Amino acid sequence: MDQATVSRSKHGEDASKEVRAQHAEKQSPLELFNSPEANAFRAEIIRTGRKLWDRQYVDGNGGNISVRLGAEFVLCTPTMLSKADLETADICLSDLSGKILAGDRTLTSELLLHLEIYKANSKAKAVVHCHPPYATAFAMTGTVPPNGLVPEYEVFIGPAAVAPYETPGTQAFAETVLPFVHVHNAILLKNHGLVCWSDTVTHAEWLCEIMDTYCKTYLIAKQIGQPLGVIPDDKIDDILRRKQWMGLPDARMARIGGDPRGADPKNTSEIVELVKRVTGRREGRS
Ligand SMILES: [Zn+2]
């Protein structure tokens, strides 16, 4: 496998992913659980758990991480384990109804939240739920930070949503995100925390970082006591066009005639070619 292929696989941008997923559908749950793809996902989940803990987004046994495996299964973190201490054998296999199929540990009841997201939105390939302090502070107030202040937040998240409070771990709690999950990839859970979905576990964790840092920066900026500068609408439209190209959801997409759910990128082959060119250039190839 050349470096460009490694790089694409690592970042979940490999065009052959869909082919692999189709092949995966024909395998039994146990074959899938023991496949190289599952091993790679387990390693990614463990790395991500460590990041969440290092960033103080999860305390005690809080937070959970999952990823789709084939069309019908999910690899996920278990209950009662710190995200800093995850090991390969701790990762469980579940079907989309929450039935455990492999793994020695007990599933987290918050997996129900992940499963509702997967069932509602086929674009969600990985879900990360955590309790980052600044985002959770906004969740306590039932408000989202205002938009138009930092481009990175606008590109990767845009308008966030707040799902109403329900008792964690229940089916009612899991369903609170359903009205938001097509148009928002970052959802604050009232009086609880944050859940983000994306195409890979790594990217879902990036969204948690972007959300929490944005909430923190906004609160600091407010303390300066000066009016906040706002990105002009026409520049936000530039960002929306970029998001459309990347296939990201944004509730404001109708402004530029786009799909708020984030249409599939029309130019996947163009993106793959771009990655090839960039990674080739880094290695000194033309
Ligand atoms: Zn939680």
Side-chain angles (χ1 to χ4, degrees):
M1 193 183 281
D2 67 19
Q3 197 57 44
T5 309
V6 170
S7 177
R8 286 200 305 281
S9 301
K10 194 174 171 191
H11 297 289
E13 294 163 344
D14 192 338
S16 69
K17 214 175 190 179
E18 205 167 313
V19 176
R20 287 206 311 275
Q22 283 165 3
H23 173 69
E25 282 171 34
K26 294 170 197 146
Q27 294 176 280
S28 74
L30 226 77
E31 281 174 322
L32 268 173
F33 190 62
N34 294 314
S35 65
E37 189 178 23
N39 287 337
F41 284 152
R42 274 188 279 268
E44 190 177 13
I45 287 172
I46 291 167
R47 275 199 309 274
T48 300
R50 189 77 217 180
K51 279 191 196 174
L52 292 175
W53 195 85
D54 285 345
R55 294 189 69 102
Q56 302 183 354
Y57 290 177
V58 287
D59 297 290
N61 70 321
N64 23 78
I65 305 162
S66 72
V67 63
R68 280 187 200 265
L69 185 63
E72 297 167 24
F73 308 105
V74 169
L75 283 174
C76 59
T77 51
T79 188
M80 294 309 288
L81 197 64
S82 166
K83 300 303 150 305
D85 296 332
L86 291 170
E87 292 181 8
T88 305
D90 297 323
I91 310 302
C92 309
L93 180 74
S94 161
D95 65 13
L96 290 178
S97 72
K99 186 176 156 203
I100 190 162
L101 301 170
D104 298 330
R105 289 190 174 267
T106 308
L107 286 179
T108 167
S109 55
E110 283 185 345
L111 178 66
L112 294 173
L113 170 70
H114 299 228
L115 297 178
E116 286 305 315
I117 294 172
Y118 291 131
K119 286 186 279 187
N121 189 343
S122 61
K123 289 167 72 73
K125 307 292 185 197
V127 175
V128 172
H129 163 56
C130 54
H131 312 137
Y134 293 94
T136 304
F138 272 91
M140 284 179 186
T141 65
T143 56
V144 293
N147 281 98
L149 299 171
V150 174
E152 189 182 25
Y153 180 75
E154 300 302 317
V155 169
F156 289 100
I157 294 179
V162 188
Y165 181 80
E166 260 299 343
T167 306
T170 63
Q171 182 60 28
F173 163 68
E175 292 175 8
T176 58
V177 298
L178 289 180
F180 313 104
V181 75
H182 291 284
V183 172
H184 302 277
N185 54 10
I187 303 170
L188 294 170
L189 306 167
K190 183 121 194 288
N191 293 98
H192 182 160
L194 170 68
V195 66
C196 296
W197 63 262
S198 191
D199 59 339
T200 68
V201 170
T202 299
H203 291 169
E205 197 273 340
W206 284 3
L207 295 182
C208 297
E209 292 182 15
I210 291 165
M211 183 77 208
D212 198 56
T213 298
Y214 186 73
C215 291
K216 180 180 181 180
T217 310
Y218 172 71
L219 292 173
I220 295 170
K222 287 287 282 180
Q223 290 175 12
I224 295 173
Q226 298 294 322
L228 302 183
V230 176
I231 300 169
D233 280 353
D234 62 322
K235 302 297 180 194
I236 292 290
D237 289 351
D238 285 345
I239 287 171
L240 291 175
R241 280 187 279 275
R242 181 183 292 195
K243 294 185 82 163
Q244 190 179 30
W245 188 79
M246 294 165 80
L248 293 172
D250 192 299
R252 304 164 295 185
M253 203 62 90
R255 270 168 49 170
I256 59 157
D259 185 344
R261 294 169 301 180
D264 290 330
K266 292 183 185 72
N267 30 22
T268 306
S269 57
E270 218 176 290
I271 294 171
V272 170
E273 276 311 306
L274 182 69
V275 171
K276 262 189 199 167
R277 281 209 306 280
V278 171
T279 52
R281 207 179 296 148
R282 278 199 198 126
E283 289 160 35
R285 291 193 260 125
S286 57

